[in-house]
Amino acid sequence: MIAVFGGMCVGIVIAGSVFAEATPEQRVQELSMEEVFDYASRYPSTDVRRELKGAAFNEVLNREESAIGFMLDHAHIKNIMYQVYLQQLIPRVPAEKAVPPLLRALGSEHDVTRRTAVYFLGLYEDVDEAPRVAALLGHEKTRGMAVRTLGKWRALAYRDQVRELLEKGEERERVIAVNALRDMGGKESVPDLIQALKDEVFTVRFAASRGLAVLEKDSLKPVQKALEAAVKAETDVRELRDLVRTLGAMKSSRANRLFRKLCRHDDTGVATDAQRALDGVFREVLGVDGNNP
């Protein structure tokens, strides 16, 4: 027994010596995903732990699909680091490795996990999976994110569901719906976005303005014609100003004659906005540079 015990001690010493001599990268390769995450996310209080933290972070990135699956399995836990590492992982992992765990997560029992998966799926072009995402439209806690991804995918078959959210959703959902209509593009979105300029909440109106200013690069004439008609017909001062600002964000000068007329408007705010439109300041005001924001 003494001999056996002595042999065990020698074995432990040798194993510990080998582990101690291993580099941080080699050490973390032998760890489970849970242990790697623990080293990567903990606060490093010593030089050794700082080295292990850096090595563990890189190991998380190296494990790609299995790491994404692990983070999604824990996304519902109140630990922001799972979301942080998903943000780090997703852009670096090829679609063929990232999409499968994201699609599996759509069936999670946790709504946070489903929302997280739908959000990241929006970063990929995988419109063939639109029906699986659309299945989440019937759930209050996932419908907004589902609409966002369907918009990113330009899943035109679901435009009516987006319009319904724009009509009946709460503020955040209406903003998401406006952005989805913008992403779907086409002249079919223009009437809905112009109507959204009448929304009672500024954030929705602002999103609609940006959306229309973006759409004009694809279909300039229909958007401008619709906006000019809306400006001429509008009598409410606040709504008229939103229309003028939106039209002023267009690159074309075809509305300049209308703006010069509005510079003589009885309302000082409308007149000022018309002059600013002539000065070409509203693209910057709306944060639009001609690319999809």
Side-chain angles (χ1 to χ4, degrees):
M1 290 181 63
I2 294 174
V4 171
F5 179 74
M8 290 174 61
C9 291
V10 171
I12 291 172
V13 170
I14 292 174
S17 175
V18 171
F19 188 75
E21 292 175 359
T23 66
E25 289 75 19
Q26 292 171 328
R27 292 173 64 181
V28 296
Q29 287 174 6
E30 304 299 322
L31 301 177
S32 68
M33 190 65 240
E34 186 172 359
E35 291 170 322
V36 171
F37 173 78
D38 183 48
Y39 274 113
S41 59
R42 68 168 58 173
Y43 179 79
S45 55
T46 66
D47 289 340
V48 172
R49 288 190 174 184
R50 275 188 283 275
E51 291 180 356
L52 281 172
K53 180 180 176 70
F57 173 76
N58 290 328
E59 182 65 16
V60 169
L61 301 182
N62 291 337
R63 296 195 185 186
E64 297 184 328
E65 184 173 347
S66 63
I68 291 175
F70 173 84
M71 301 301 166
L72 287 169
D73 287 342
H74 296 79
H76 63 284
I77 297 174
K78 292 184 178 181
N79 183 341
I80 191 63
M81 293 307 299
Y82 293 112
Q83 299 285 345
V84 169
Y85 278 107
L86 280 170
Q87 292 280 2
Q88 296 281 345
L89 270 166
I90 297 295
R92 306 178 189 214
V93 179
E96 62 269 18
K97 293 183 178 180
V99 169
L102 290 171
L103 290 174
R104 287 194 296 271
L106 295 181
S108 171
E109 63 179 303
H110 303 289
D111 56 81
V112 172
T113 302
R114 296 195 300 273
R115 285 201 307 272
T116 300
V118 172
Y119 170 81
F120 284 112
L121 282 169
L123 302 180
Y124 298 94
E125 295 183 14
D126 203 1
V127 72
D128 290 341
E129 298 294 345
R132 295 182 64 175
V133 172
L136 302 178
L137 290 172
H139 302 277
E140 180 181 358
K141 293 186 177 181
T142 55
R143 66 188 179 194
M145 202 58 71
V147 161
R148 176 189 179 277
T149 292
L150 292 171
K152 295 293 183 186
W153 287 353
R154 296 176 68 94
L156 304 182
Y158 301 96
R159 196 190 291 271
D160 286 344
Q161 286 90 328
V162 178
R163 289 182 175 126
E164 183 178 358
L165 190 65
L166 179 58
E167 179 183 350
K168 300 178 180 179
E170 45 88 18
E171 176 190 352
R172 182 184 62 84
E173 291 177 327
R174 298 202 302 279
V175 171
I176 290 173
V178 163
N179 291 337
L181 287 168
R182 173 203 71 198
D183 291 336
M184 287 180 171
K187 61 184 181 181
E188 296 84 1
S189 293
V190 174
D192 298 302
L193 294 179
I194 289 178
Q195 182 61 34
L197 289 174
K198 298 178 180 291
D199 196 278
E200 62 183 14
V201 180
F202 168 75
T203 53
V204 181
R205 301 197 303 272
F206 186 83
S209 292
R210 294 187 72 194
L212 287 162
V214 168
L215 279 181
E216 59 96 15
K217 72 185 176 71
D218 295 322
S219 50
L220 175 62
K221 192 171 293 185
V223 176
Q224 287 211 323
K225 287 179 67 175
L227 279 169
E228 286 174 30
V231 167
K232 292 174 183 177
E234 188 57 65
T235 57
D236 182 271
V237 169
R238 191 218 63 178
E239 293 176 4
L240 177 58
R241 293 187 67 181
D242 281 325
L243 286 165
V244 168
R245 292 166 186 162
T246 304
L247 187 57
M250 306 299 180
K251 288 184 176 179
S252 172
S253 61
R254 58 169 286 158
N256 284 357
R257 183 177 179 181
L258 177 58
F259 291 145
R260 283 192 287 269
K261 180 179 179 181
L262 289 172
C263 283
R264 301 188 296 273
H265 196 279
D266 292 340
D267 183 85
T268 303
V270 173
T272 300
D273 282 343
Q275 182 58 57
R276 297 182 75 195
L278 286 170
D279 295 337
V281 303
F282 283 119
R283 288 192 75 78
E284 183 177 354
V285 170
L286 293 179
V288 178
D289 60 3
N291 297 316
N292 198 335

